[in-house]
Structures are given as C-alpha cells and as structure tokens.
Amino acid sequence: MKFGGTSMAGTERIRRVANIVRAQAVGRNGEANEVAVVVSAMAGETDRLVNFCREANALYDPAEYDVVVSSGEQVTSGLLALTLQSLGHKARSWLGWQLPVKTEGAHAKARIASIDAPDMVARLEAGEIAVVPGFQGITDEGRISTLGRGGSDTSAVAVAAAVKADRCDIYTDVDGVYTTDPRIVAKARKLKAVTYEEMLELASVGAKVLQTRSVGLAMKAGVRIQVLSSFVDDGAALADDLPGTLIVSDEEMDQMVERGEMERQLVTGIAHDKNEAKVILTRVPDKPGAVAHIFEPLADASINVDMIIQNVGRDKGETDVTFTVPQADLARAQALLEDRREEIGFNRIITDSKIAKISVVGVGMKSHAGVASTMFRALSDRGINIQAISTSEIKVSVMIDEDETELAVRVLHTAYGLDAEE
Ligand code: ADP
Ligand code: ASP
Ligand code: MG
C-alpha cells in the first residue's frame, strides 16, 4: 500500500491512513494480510525542502540536496508506525538505508538497483506492518539518494516486487486514473483500467498520478497496480472491493473489452506538463557535429532533453536550435552552454519557462490516421498557437504558451469525445 502526500498531511490524515492499513492487515474472515506500506512526505513538505536548498546554494550539490529532501519521508514513516502502534498493531519503520534500497545513477534522480529485505520479510511474516519511507535509497558509496519527484510510487512498486506482493495499491487524493487531470476538466471520466503502455506514456508526458518509472518497473516486474483514493469514510470497503483504476496488460485489456467492461477509444487520455522550459540557441553553425556539441554536455550532466527542433539553415550556414529541459535543470543547462559558447559557436541563448506541453495518448493511434490533425484543428479553432510538435507511436505532443494550458486540455478533451455525459 502506498500513500501520497495529501493522504499523509497531518496527524488526522495519518490516523485515517492507519485505519485503512490496519483494516487491510486484519483482513476478512480471520484471513490476515501481510502489509508493507510506503509513504510520501506531507503535502508541500518536499517543495519546502527543495526551496531551502535553492536558498542555500542556487547551484546545489545533488548529494546534499538528497540529504535534505529525503527527510520529509523519514518523518511520516515514523509517525505512521507510531499511529499504528497506538491502534494496537505491531509496526516499525524501515528507512532506505536500513532496508536497504540500493540505488544507482545520479543523485536527485537515482534509480533503484535492488531491494534485498530478508529482515523486513521475516517481520512481515510475524505479523508486523512495515512502514517504508518512499523516495529514498542509498548509493554504493553509502550516501543517501532520492528517486526524483513523485518517486514514492516507484519505491512502492519496487517494494511490491521485492516481497512478491499480490498487488500494489497506490492511494492518492483522486479515486483513480482519469481521461485527464480531473482538477482541470470537471468532465474527465474515471477509467476502469489502463494498459501499462498507455499509463507509461501518460505519466511520462505529465499525468503525475503515477511516476513514470513506477509504471515501467511494474510492467517489467509484473506488479499489479491499483490506483485508489484514501479519502474514504472510516469503515469503508477494503481495497479489494473499491472501484479504483487497474493498470493491466494488453491481453487483460482485450479481455475486458470482449466482456464489454471497457470501450476501445482512439485517445485514452490527455496530459499536460508545465515543468519544462524552452531554450533557443541562435545562429548555431549548420554543420556536422554542431548539435552533438550542444547535447553532449547536457547528457553528461544527466539533464534530460525532450522536444528538439532544428530550423532549416538560413544564410551564412547558420541555424537556430530549440529544445526543452526540465525547469529544475534550466539554470544548470544554461551555465553549461554559456561555458561552451566558443566551442558550440552560438550567438544568443534565449530561455522561456512560460511554456506547457500538452499530449494526447492512445494505443488506437497505431492503426488510425488523423489523431494529430484533429489536435491541430481543435487548437487553432481556439486561436492557440503551437510552438513545437513531437510524436511517438502512441502520442502526439505540442508546446504552447503556459497561460493556455487549461483551455487547451479542455478543448482537446471535448474534441476526442472524452467528456463524461451530463
Ligand atoms: P500523491 O501525493 O498521492 O502522490 P500526486 O499529486 O502525485 O498525488 O498525484 C495525484 C494527482 O494527479 C491528482 O490530484 C490529479 O490532480 C493529478 N492527475 C493528473 N493527471 C491525472 C489523471 N489522468 N488522472 C487522475 N489524476 C491525475
Ligand atoms: N515527497 C516526494 C515528492 O514530493 C516523493 C513523493 O511524494 O512521491 O516528490
Ligand atoms: Mg505522486
């Protein structure tokens, strides 16, 4: 079971969570369940800690950033263990370094390499509830690491895989995965099931209900994920009976469609992402190797580049190159590029954080034409200007002005026939 930030925000909420966890552990008809719980920091806490790091040092050392930002989960894991104990249930916390959750790769966006938890498994079997702080792990050098924002979902799936759980229930503040963010579109519809492939794509383009890596890991390890809400009345049904959203394989989806439980749609969902920034390098030499010079240093610094456009060359063998990076990495990216101004040979560097990426996702596009043109037409009818486009087999994304995000998502939701009936 995993509980997100809003579910853990304060003593009262944690008490509710403890009740849900205890009910699941006690089970039905005397059939107890072994339960490991992964928790997030209280809502807003990680943002607060990130700000402290920025104030301390704008170009912060990611290893020390991890020390600071991982602390929010340490607090909530201890508090949930204490609350479970106060309800009379055996419980203890297992910090990332204690379990241990071994990670590899860059600090602040580390990947889980392995979880080997024989001690925790033994205590689970003895009926003790394990409370694991999400988001954190330990590097080979014995330093604290974190998994990137939203990483507690990935911690939960990794723990579920490590203990071979029957299911990984992700409790959040909405009762499932919707056709788009239900906080933006009131007519969004809850989906009974989504395939791993579509959920992976939706998450990677901004549907933050699940962290992208958690879905990739679940797909690989065959972990059954259910998304559901922790905001339920006391004494409500166990997760086994709640109508959340299941993340399923293609085969399972086919069976659901055959049984008439799901309908096939061309577009499954729409996501938006306001966390990227646009970088334009002007008058880059239009010759072999120029683009490699730009992107190599960014890759070496583990900065993810997303949309890339290189204009056709203009006079004097020069061209403009536009791309997006996560806003959190913009300052570092800009500094790296400035340092290499001579080598790359650009004239100006222009940045813009006021952009958004809007994406439509669906496996139906593999076999149907016209999905992109519907998108372009619907946006142009509302006067929304498209600054860049990128596509994959099951997705079309456009970059637009950030102020038009909500309007664009609503317009597209209607254009693809996803609105719930009144
Ligand atoms: P948690 O703190 O529980 O991890 P998050 O804030 O990370 O919760 O994720 C839940 C939020 O994801 C919801 O409140 C909702 O606004 C947002 N969201 C975005 N896209 C979707 C979607 N397609 N379906 C459901 N929720 C979505
Ligand atoms: N607390 C971390 C964050 O806000 C991890 C998580 O909640 O999933 O990003
Ligand atoms: Mg989250």
Side-chain angles (χ1 to χ4, degrees), residues 2-7 40-41 43 150 152-153 170-184 188-189 191 199 202 206-211 227 269-272:
K2 180 260 174 176
F3 292 88
T6 30
S7 309
S40 287
S152 297
D153 297 327
I170 307 262
Y171 284 86
T172 180
D173 53 6
V174 288
D175 59 356
V177 178
Y178 282 70
T179 46
T180 193
D181 189 340
R183 293 186 199 289
I184 291 196
R189 276 189 292 119
L191 298 162
M199 194 62 233
L202 277 170
K208 68 168 186 163
V209 60
L210 289 176
Q211 199 203 28
V227 177
I270 298 170
H272 69 277

Side-chain angles (χ1 to χ4, degrees), residues 155-173:
S155 306
V157 171
V159 169
V163 303
K164 302 195 172 56
D166 297 317
R167 213 173 53 223
C168 179
D169 286 338
I170 307 262
Y171 284 86
T172 180
D173 53 6

Side-chain angles (χ1 to χ4, degrees), residues 95-325:
L95 301 184
W97 60 271
Q98 294 170 328
L99 211 48
V101 178
K102 295 211 178 118
T103 66
E104 56 191 19
H107 274 282
K109 47 179 119 173
R111 284 183 308 278
I112 294 179
S114 65
I115 296 183
D116 189 18
D119 295 345
M120 183 183 80
V121 169
R123 304 277 285 260
L124 282 174
E125 283 167 0
E128 187 177 83
I129 295 172
V131 187
V132 178
F135 188 47
Q136 57 173 251
I138 181 169
T139 67
D140 273 346
E141 291 80 44
R143 301 204 67 182
I144 305 277
S145 51
T146 65
L147 308 178
R149 298 305 307 269
S152 297
D153 297 327
T154 304
S155 306
V157 171
V159 169
V163 303
K164 302 195 172 56
D166 297 317
R167 213 173 53 223
C168 179
D169 286 338
I170 307 262
Y171 284 86
T172 180
D173 53 6
V174 288
D175 59 356
V177 178
Y178 282 70
T179 46
T180 193
D181 189 340
R183 293 186 199 289
I184 291 196
V185 180
K187 288 180 182 164
R189 276 189 292 119
K190 188 168 85 182
L191 298 162
K192 191 167 180 163
V194 189
T195 62
Y196 287 111
E197 190 188 10
E198 286 172 313
M199 194 62 233
L200 192 62
E201 195 82 48
L202 277 170
S204 77
V205 292
K208 68 168 186 163
V209 60
L210 289 176
Q211 199 203 28
T212 311
R213 275 193 191 147
S214 71
V215 187
L217 185 61
M219 189 166 164
K220 222 167 65 191
V223 172
R224 209 173 160 70
I225 297 185
Q226 177 171 232
V227 177
L228 63 179
S229 172
S230 72
F231 291 74
V232 288
D233 297 333
D234 279 345
L238 290 183
D240 315 68
D241 308 324
L242 284 175
T245 299
L246 277 175
I247 317 297
V248 300
S249 65
D250 280 342
E251 297 78 58
E252 224 177 314
M253 180 61 89
D254 288 342
Q255 289 159 12
M256 293 179 88
V257 171
E258 256 168 47
R259 289 198 299 267
E261 294 167 12
M262 287 290 300
E263 254 177 72
R264 279 241 182 269
Q265 301 278 359
L266 204 50
V267 166
T268 302
I270 298 170
H272 69 277
D273 185 354
K274 294 181 178 178
N275 293 319
E276 289 194 25
K278 177 170 74 170
V279 179
I280 305 173
L281 295 182
T282 66
R283 303 180 57 186
V284 176
D286 191 10
K287 62 171 194 224
V291 191
H293 276 137
I294 299 173
F295 295 114
E296 273 163 5
L298 301 180
D300 290 344
S302 297
I303 296 174
N304 264 332
V305 174
D306 182 30
M307 296 175 136
I308 302 175
I309 324 164
Q310 181 181 333
N311 293 349
V312 280
R314 49 176 165 181
D315 307 344
K316 302 195 215 110
E318 290 170 338
T319 179
D320 292 347
V321 177
T322 304
F323 55 92
T324 59
V325 294

Side-chain angles (χ1 to χ4, degrees), residues 348-393:
R348 280 209 308 148
I349 176 163
I350 305 165
T351 63
D352 181 3
S353 297
K354 276 192 75 285
I355 53 141
K357 185 172 70 177
I358 315 293
S359 309
V360 300
V361 172
V363 285
M365 322 180 177
K366 280 184 188 172
S367 50
H368 282 84
V371 172
S373 66
T374 301
M375 183 178 201
F376 304 153
R377 169 56 55 204
L379 293 175
S380 90
D381 284 350
R382 290 306 188 97
I384 298 171
N385 189 42
I386 298 172
Q387 304 179 27
I389 302 166
S390 72
T391 63
S392 79
E393 205 178 12

